[in-house]
């Protein structure tokens, strides 16, 4: 993604990130935020369709966000132009994520809409797909982002 709303092109794609999922992190996240048995131990997961310890979907979303922010930090001006998000659409957890998986992301700009009431910004919808080491999608979501327009040049 480029820095300013005007620079964003519908259809633009990006591939980024590398996140190695650890057992300790899966259990730590679940213990604090999603303490279901299949997120806490292999024994708790054994009688389920997971069969072994699986990461919480919310944890998968958090790992995706960590990769997204790291990508933003690699690109000059992107953090300056981002005004956050107003929500997400169509969040889907497609496959379980397990300790030892290595995740990455792919994104595509779906739509951009200038704000009618605030000319200093616009809304951008971005589809992000989280993919594991087997090139299998594990999660998709559409972020609804608020992005600043290019500031007026005082010169």
């Amino acid at each position: 993604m480029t820095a300013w709303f005007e620079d964003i092109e519908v259809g633009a794609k990006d591939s980024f990130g590398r996140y190695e999922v650890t057992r300790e992190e899966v259990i730590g996240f679940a213990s604090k935020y999603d303490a279901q048995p299949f997120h806490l131990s292999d024994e708790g997961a054994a009688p389920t369709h997971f069969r072994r310890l699986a990461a919480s979907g919310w944890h998968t979303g958090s790992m995706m966000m960590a990769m997204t922010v790291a990508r933003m930090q690699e690109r000059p001006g992107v953090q300056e132009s981002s005004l956050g998000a107003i929500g997400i659409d169509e969040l889907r957890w497609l496959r379980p994520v397990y300790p030892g998986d290595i995740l990455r992301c792919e994104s595509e700009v779906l739509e951009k809409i200038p704000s009618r009431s605030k000319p200093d910004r616009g809304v951008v919808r971005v589809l992000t797909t989280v993919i594991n080491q087997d090139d299998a999608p594990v999660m998709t979501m559409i972020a609804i982002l608020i992005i600043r327009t290019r500031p007026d040049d005082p010169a």
Side-chain angles (χ1 to χ4, degrees), residues 20-64:
E20 199 163 333
V21 183
T22 68
R23 180 177 190 79
E24 297 74 25
E25 193 174 275
V26 168
I27 294 169
F29 185 96
S31 296
K32 190 166 184 177
Y33 300 110
D34 192 357
Q36 298 182 74
F38 41 85
H39 297 320
L40 296 171
S41 71
D42 288 313
E43 297 76 23
T48 72
H49 65 285
F50 296 115
R51 299 283 185 232
R52 59 187 169 111
L53 178 70
S56 165
W58 298 112
H59 185 194
T60 302
S62 296
M63 291 182 277
M64 183 267 329

Short mmCIF file of all heavy atoms in Angstrom, two decimals, residues 20-64:
data_model
loop_
_atom_site.label_atom_id
_atom_site.label_comp_id
_atom_site.label_asym_id
_atom_site.label_seq_id
_atom_site.Cartn_x
_atom_site.Cartn_y
_atom_site.Cartn_z
N GLU A 20 6.10 -17.43 12.56
CA GLU A 20 6.21 -18.81 13.00
C GLU A 20 5.38 -18.98 14.27
O GLU A 20 5.61 -18.32 15.29
CB GLU A 20 7.68 -19.15 13.26
CG GLU A 20 7.94 -20.63 13.26
CD GLU A 20 9.41 -20.96 13.11
OE1 GLU A 20 10.16 -20.16 12.51
OE2 GLU A 20 9.79 -22.04 13.58
N VAL A 21 4.42 -19.86 14.21
CA VAL A 21 3.48 -20.09 15.32
C VAL A 21 4.13 -21.03 16.33
O VAL A 21 4.57 -22.13 15.97
CB VAL A 21 2.16 -20.70 14.79
CG1 VAL A 21 1.16 -20.88 15.93
CG2 VAL A 21 1.57 -19.85 13.68
N THR A 22 4.19 -20.59 17.59
CA THR A 22 4.79 -21.43 18.63
C THR A 22 3.72 -21.97 19.58
O THR A 22 2.69 -21.35 19.79
CB THR A 22 5.83 -20.65 19.46
OG1 THR A 22 5.15 -19.66 20.25
CG2 THR A 22 6.89 -20.00 18.57
N ARG A 23 4.00 -23.11 20.12
CA ARG A 23 3.12 -23.76 21.09
C ARG A 23 2.90 -22.84 22.31
O ARG A 23 1.78 -22.68 22.77
CB ARG A 23 3.74 -25.10 21.51
CG ARG A 23 2.95 -25.87 22.51
CD ARG A 23 3.62 -27.23 22.79
NE ARG A 23 2.72 -28.04 23.58
CZ ARG A 23 1.68 -28.71 23.09
NH1 ARG A 23 1.43 -28.69 21.81
NH2 ARG A 23 0.90 -29.40 23.89
N GLU A 24 3.98 -22.25 22.79
CA GLU A 24 3.89 -21.39 23.97
C GLU A 24 2.97 -20.20 23.71
O GLU A 24 2.18 -19.82 24.58
CB GLU A 24 5.29 -20.91 24.38
CG GLU A 24 6.24 -22.02 24.81
CD GLU A 24 6.78 -22.87 23.65
OE1 GLU A 24 6.84 -22.38 22.49
OE2 GLU A 24 7.12 -24.04 23.90
N GLU A 25 3.09 -19.62 22.54
CA GLU A 25 2.25 -18.46 22.21
C GLU A 25 0.79 -18.86 22.05
O GLU A 25 -0.11 -18.14 22.49
CB GLU A 25 2.77 -17.78 20.95
CG GLU A 25 2.15 -16.42 20.72
CD GLU A 25 2.80 -15.70 19.55
OE1 GLU A 25 3.84 -15.05 19.75
OE2 GLU A 25 2.23 -15.80 18.45
N VAL A 26 0.53 -20.00 21.43
CA VAL A 26 -0.85 -20.49 21.26
C VAL A 26 -1.50 -20.66 22.63
O VAL A 26 -2.62 -20.19 22.87
CB VAL A 26 -0.88 -21.80 20.45
CG1 VAL A 26 -2.26 -22.47 20.53
CG2 VAL A 26 -0.49 -21.55 19.00
N ILE A 27 -0.81 -21.33 23.54
CA ILE A 27 -1.37 -21.58 24.88
C ILE A 27 -1.49 -20.28 25.67
O ILE A 27 -2.50 -20.04 26.34
CB ILE A 27 -0.51 -22.62 25.63
CG1 ILE A 27 -0.62 -23.98 24.92
CG2 ILE A 27 -0.93 -22.72 27.09
CD1 ILE A 27 0.38 -25.02 25.41
N GLY A 28 -0.47 -19.41 25.57
CA GLY A 28 -0.52 -18.14 26.29
C GLY A 28 -1.68 -17.26 25.84
O GLY A 28 -2.40 -16.69 26.67
N PHE A 29 -1.88 -17.14 24.52
CA PHE A 29 -2.98 -16.34 24.00
C PHE A 29 -4.31 -16.94 24.45
O PHE A 29 -5.18 -16.23 24.97
CB PHE A 29 -2.93 -16.27 22.47
CG PHE A 29 -3.98 -15.37 21.88
CD1 PHE A 29 -3.67 -14.06 21.55
CD2 PHE A 29 -5.28 -15.81 21.66
CE1 PHE A 29 -4.63 -13.22 21.01
CE2 PHE A 29 -6.24 -14.98 21.13
CZ PHE A 29 -5.92 -13.67 20.80
N ALA A 30 -4.46 -18.24 24.28
CA ALA A 30 -5.72 -18.90 24.64
C ALA A 30 -5.99 -18.79 26.14
O ALA A 30 -7.14 -18.55 26.54
CB ALA A 30 -5.69 -20.36 24.22
N SER A 31 -4.98 -18.94 26.95
CA SER A 31 -5.16 -18.85 28.41
C SER A 31 -5.74 -17.51 28.81
O SER A 31 -6.57 -17.43 29.71
CB SER A 31 -3.82 -19.06 29.12
OG SER A 31 -3.34 -20.36 28.90
N LYS A 32 -5.34 -16.48 28.10
CA LYS A 32 -5.80 -15.13 28.44
C LYS A 32 -7.09 -14.75 27.74
O LYS A 32 -7.93 -14.06 28.33
CB LYS A 32 -4.69 -14.13 28.09
CG LYS A 32 -4.97 -12.75 28.62
CD LYS A 32 -3.73 -11.89 28.57
CE LYS A 32 -4.03 -10.54 29.21
NZ LYS A 32 -2.88 -9.69 29.27
N TYR A 33 -7.30 -15.19 26.47
CA TYR A 33 -8.40 -14.64 25.69
C TYR A 33 -9.41 -15.65 25.14
O TYR A 33 -10.48 -15.25 24.70
CB TYR A 33 -7.83 -13.85 24.48
CG TYR A 33 -6.96 -12.70 24.89
CD1 TYR A 33 -5.59 -12.74 24.67
CD2 TYR A 33 -7.50 -11.58 25.50
CE1 TYR A 33 -4.78 -11.69 25.03
CE2 TYR A 33 -6.69 -10.52 25.87
CZ TYR A 33 -5.34 -10.58 25.65
OH TYR A 33 -4.54 -9.53 26.02
N ASP A 34 -9.07 -16.93 25.08
CA ASP A 34 -9.97 -17.89 24.44
C ASP A 34 -9.71 -19.28 25.02
O ASP A 34 -9.29 -20.20 24.32
CB ASP A 34 -9.75 -17.88 22.92
CG ASP A 34 -10.83 -18.62 22.14
OD1 ASP A 34 -11.73 -19.21 22.76
OD2 ASP A 34 -10.75 -18.62 20.90
N ALA A 35 -9.98 -19.43 26.31
CA ALA A 35 -9.58 -20.61 27.07
C ALA A 35 -10.48 -21.83 26.83
O ALA A 35 -11.04 -22.40 27.76
CB ALA A 35 -9.50 -20.27 28.55
N GLN A 36 -10.58 -22.21 25.58
CA GLN A 36 -11.29 -23.44 25.25
C GLN A 36 -10.29 -24.59 25.24
O GLN A 36 -9.12 -24.38 24.88
CB GLN A 36 -11.98 -23.31 23.89
CG GLN A 36 -13.04 -22.19 23.90
CD GLN A 36 -13.75 -22.10 22.58
OE1 GLN A 36 -14.57 -22.95 22.27
NE2 GLN A 36 -13.42 -21.08 21.79
N PRO A 37 -10.72 -25.80 25.60
CA PRO A 37 -9.76 -26.91 25.76
C PRO A 37 -8.89 -27.19 24.54
O PRO A 37 -7.70 -27.49 24.69
CB PRO A 37 -10.67 -28.12 26.06
CG PRO A 37 -11.91 -27.53 26.63
CD PRO A 37 -12.08 -26.19 25.97
N PHE A 38 -9.43 -27.04 23.33
CA PHE A 38 -8.65 -27.34 22.12
C PHE A 38 -7.61 -26.29 21.82
O PHE A 38 -6.75 -26.48 20.97
CB PHE A 38 -9.55 -27.59 20.90
CG PHE A 38 -10.72 -26.66 20.79
CD1 PHE A 38 -10.60 -25.41 20.20
CD2 PHE A 38 -11.96 -27.05 21.29
CE1 PHE A 38 -11.68 -24.56 20.10
CE2 PHE A 38 -13.05 -26.19 21.20
CZ PHE A 38 -12.91 -24.94 20.61
N HIS A 39 -7.65 -25.15 22.52
CA HIS A 39 -6.63 -24.12 22.39
C HIS A 39 -5.61 -24.18 23.52
O HIS A 39 -4.66 -23.39 23.54
CB HIS A 39 -7.25 -22.72 22.37
CG HIS A 39 -8.16 -22.45 21.23
ND1 HIS A 39 -7.93 -22.88 19.95
CD2 HIS A 39 -9.34 -21.77 21.19
CE1 HIS A 39 -8.91 -22.48 19.15
NE2 HIS A 39 -9.78 -21.81 19.88
N LEU A 40 -5.81 -25.09 24.47
CA LEU A 40 -4.96 -25.14 25.65
C LEU A 40 -4.05 -26.36 25.75
O LEU A 40 -3.02 -26.31 26.41
CB LEU A 40 -5.82 -25.05 26.91
CG LEU A 40 -6.59 -23.74 27.08
CD1 LEU A 40 -7.57 -23.84 28.24
CD2 LEU A 40 -5.63 -22.57 27.28
N SER A 41 -4.44 -27.46 25.09
CA SER A 41 -3.62 -28.67 25.18
C SER A 41 -3.98 -29.66 24.09
O SER A 41 -5.08 -29.63 23.54
CB SER A 41 -3.80 -29.35 26.55
OG SER A 41 -5.08 -29.94 26.64
N ASP A 42 -3.03 -30.56 23.82
CA ASP A 42 -3.29 -31.65 22.87
C ASP A 42 -4.38 -32.57 23.42
O ASP A 42 -5.23 -33.05 22.65
CB ASP A 42 -2.01 -32.45 22.62
CG ASP A 42 -1.00 -31.67 21.78
OD1 ASP A 42 -1.39 -31.09 20.76
OD2 ASP A 42 0.19 -31.66 22.15
N GLU A 43 -4.37 -32.78 24.72
CA GLU A 43 -5.38 -33.65 25.33
C GLU A 43 -6.78 -33.06 25.18
O GLU A 43 -7.74 -33.77 24.88
CB GLU A 43 -5.07 -33.88 26.83
CG GLU A 43 -3.77 -34.60 27.10
CD GLU A 43 -2.52 -33.73 26.92
OE1 GLU A 43 -2.60 -32.49 27.02
OE2 GLU A 43 -1.45 -34.31 26.66
N GLY A 44 -6.89 -31.75 25.37
CA GLY A 44 -8.19 -31.09 25.21
C GLY A 44 -8.66 -31.07 23.77
O GLY A 44 -9.86 -31.06 23.49
N ALA A 45 -7.71 -31.07 22.83
CA ALA A 45 -8.06 -31.04 21.41
C ALA A 45 -8.31 -32.43 20.83
O ALA A 45 -9.01 -32.56 19.82
CB ALA A 45 -6.94 -30.35 20.62
N ALA A 46 -7.77 -33.48 21.47
CA ALA A 46 -7.83 -34.83 20.92
C ALA A 46 -9.24 -35.29 20.53
O ALA A 46 -9.41 -35.84 19.44
CB ALA A 46 -7.18 -35.83 21.89
N PRO A 47 -10.28 -35.07 21.35
CA PRO A 47 -11.60 -35.56 20.95
C PRO A 47 -12.34 -34.65 19.95
O PRO A 47 -13.46 -34.94 19.57
CB PRO A 47 -12.36 -35.63 22.28
CG PRO A 47 -11.70 -34.64 23.16
CD PRO A 47 -10.26 -34.59 22.72
N THR A 48 -11.71 -33.59 19.51
CA THR A 48 -12.34 -32.65 18.58
C THR A 48 -11.83 -32.88 17.16
O THR A 48 -10.91 -33.68 16.94
CB THR A 48 -12.05 -31.19 18.98
OG1 THR A 48 -10.69 -30.89 18.70
CG2 THR A 48 -12.36 -30.93 20.46
N HIS A 49 -12.40 -32.16 16.22
CA HIS A 49 -11.93 -32.25 14.83
C HIS A 49 -10.51 -31.70 14.66
O HIS A 49 -9.85 -31.99 13.67
CB HIS A 49 -12.90 -31.52 13.89
CG HIS A 49 -12.96 -30.04 14.11
ND1 HIS A 49 -13.62 -29.48 15.18
CD2 HIS A 49 -12.43 -29.02 13.42
CE1 HIS A 49 -13.51 -28.16 15.12
NE2 HIS A 49 -12.78 -27.86 14.07
N PHE A 50 -10.02 -30.93 15.63
CA PHE A 50 -8.65 -30.42 15.56
C PHE A 50 -7.62 -31.54 15.76
O PHE A 50 -6.54 -31.50 15.21
CB PHE A 50 -8.41 -29.32 16.60
CG PHE A 50 -9.24 -28.09 16.39
CD1 PHE A 50 -10.19 -27.72 17.33
CD2 PHE A 50 -9.06 -27.29 15.28
CE1 PHE A 50 -10.96 -26.58 17.15
CE2 PHE A 50 -9.82 -26.14 15.09
CZ PHE A 50 -10.78 -25.79 16.03
N ARG A 51 -7.92 -32.48 16.65
CA ARG A 51 -7.07 -33.63 16.97
C ARG A 51 -5.82 -33.28 17.77
O ARG A 51 -5.21 -34.12 18.38
CB ARG A 51 -6.66 -34.42 15.73
CG ARG A 51 -7.80 -35.00 14.98
CD ARG A 51 -8.32 -36.22 15.70
NE ARG A 51 -9.35 -36.87 14.92
CZ ARG A 51 -10.54 -37.19 15.42
NH1 ARG A 51 -10.84 -36.93 16.66
NH2 ARG A 51 -11.43 -37.77 14.66
N ARG A 52 -5.40 -32.00 17.70
CA ARG A 52 -4.23 -31.55 18.45
C ARG A 52 -4.39 -30.06 18.71
O ARG A 52 -5.27 -29.41 18.15
CB ARG A 52 -2.93 -31.85 17.71
CG ARG A 52 -2.82 -31.20 16.34
CD ARG A 52 -1.59 -31.68 15.61
NE ARG A 52 -1.58 -31.29 14.22
CZ ARG A 52 -0.76 -30.41 13.68
NH1 ARG A 52 0.15 -29.81 14.43
NH2 ARG A 52 -0.83 -30.13 12.40
N LEU A 53 -3.53 -29.53 19.55
CA LEU A 53 -3.58 -28.12 19.93
C LEU A 53 -3.69 -27.22 18.70
O LEU A 53 -2.89 -27.34 17.77
CB LEU A 53 -2.32 -27.76 20.72
CG LEU A 53 -2.19 -26.31 21.17
CD1 LEU A 53 -3.22 -26.00 22.27
CD2 LEU A 53 -0.79 -26.04 21.68
N ALA A 54 -4.68 -26.35 18.70
CA ALA A 54 -4.90 -25.42 17.59
C ALA A 54 -4.99 -23.99 18.12
O ALA A 54 -5.52 -23.75 19.20
CB ALA A 54 -6.19 -25.78 16.86
N ALA A 55 -4.47 -23.06 17.34
CA ALA A 55 -4.52 -21.64 17.72
C ALA A 55 -5.96 -21.13 17.64
O ALA A 55 -6.74 -21.54 16.78
CB ALA A 55 -3.63 -20.82 16.80
N SER A 56 -6.29 -20.22 18.50
CA SER A 56 -7.57 -19.51 18.43
C SER A 56 -7.63 -18.72 17.12
O SER A 56 -6.61 -18.18 16.66
CB SER A 56 -7.67 -18.54 19.61
OG SER A 56 -8.69 -17.60 19.43
N GLY A 57 -8.80 -18.65 16.53
CA GLY A 57 -8.96 -17.80 15.35
C GLY A 57 -8.62 -16.36 15.65
O GLY A 57 -8.07 -15.64 14.80
N TRP A 58 -8.94 -15.91 16.86
CA TRP A 58 -8.62 -14.54 17.25
C TRP A 58 -7.10 -14.35 17.32
O TRP A 58 -6.58 -13.28 17.01
CB TRP A 58 -9.28 -14.17 18.57
CG TRP A 58 -10.76 -14.24 18.44
CD1 TRP A 58 -11.60 -15.14 19.04
CD2 TRP A 58 -11.60 -13.39 17.64
NE1 TRP A 58 -12.89 -14.89 18.66
CE2 TRP A 58 -12.93 -13.83 17.80
CE3 TRP A 58 -11.36 -12.31 16.79
CZ2 TRP A 58 -14.01 -13.22 17.16
CZ3 TRP A 58 -12.43 -11.71 16.16
CH2 TRP A 58 -13.72 -12.16 16.34
N HIS A 59 -6.39 -15.40 17.72
CA HIS A 59 -4.94 -15.36 17.73
C HIS A 59 -4.41 -15.26 16.29
O HIS A 59 -3.50 -14.49 16.00
CB HIS A 59 -4.39 -16.60 18.43
CG HIS A 59 -2.92 -16.61 18.62
ND1 HIS A 59 -2.23 -17.74 18.97
CD2 HIS A 59 -1.97 -15.64 18.50
CE1 HIS A 59 -0.94 -17.47 19.07
NE2 HIS A 59 -0.76 -16.20 18.78
N THR A 60 -5.01 -16.03 15.38
CA THR A 60 -4.61 -15.96 13.97
C THR A 60 -4.79 -14.53 13.46
O THR A 60 -3.92 -13.99 12.77
CB THR A 60 -5.44 -16.95 13.13
OG1 THR A 60 -5.23 -18.27 13.65
CG2 THR A 60 -5.03 -16.90 11.66
N GLY A 61 -5.91 -13.89 13.81
CA GLY A 61 -6.13 -12.50 13.42
C GLY A 61 -5.07 -11.58 14.01
O GLY A 61 -4.62 -10.63 13.35
N SER A 62 -4.67 -11.85 15.23
CA SER A 62 -3.63 -11.02 15.87
C SER A 62 -2.28 -11.21 15.20
O SER A 62 -1.52 -10.24 15.03
CB SER A 62 -3.55 -11.36 17.36
OG SER A 62 -4.75 -11.03 18.01
N MET A 63 -1.98 -12.45 14.80
CA MET A 63 -0.72 -12.68 14.08
C MET A 63 -0.75 -11.97 12.72
O MET A 63 0.26 -11.39 12.30
CB MET A 63 -0.48 -14.19 13.92
CG MET A 63 -0.18 -14.88 15.25
SD MET A 63 0.17 -16.65 15.11
CE MET A 63 -1.50 -17.35 15.09
N MET A 64 -1.90 -11.99 12.06
CA MET A 64 -2.06 -11.26 10.80
C MET A 64 -1.82 -9.77 11.02
O MET A 64 -1.13 -9.12 10.25
CB MET A 64 -3.47 -11.50 10.22
CG MET A 64 -3.73 -10.86 8.88
SD MET A 64 -4.47 -9.20 8.83
CE MET A 64 -5.50 -9.07 10.22
#
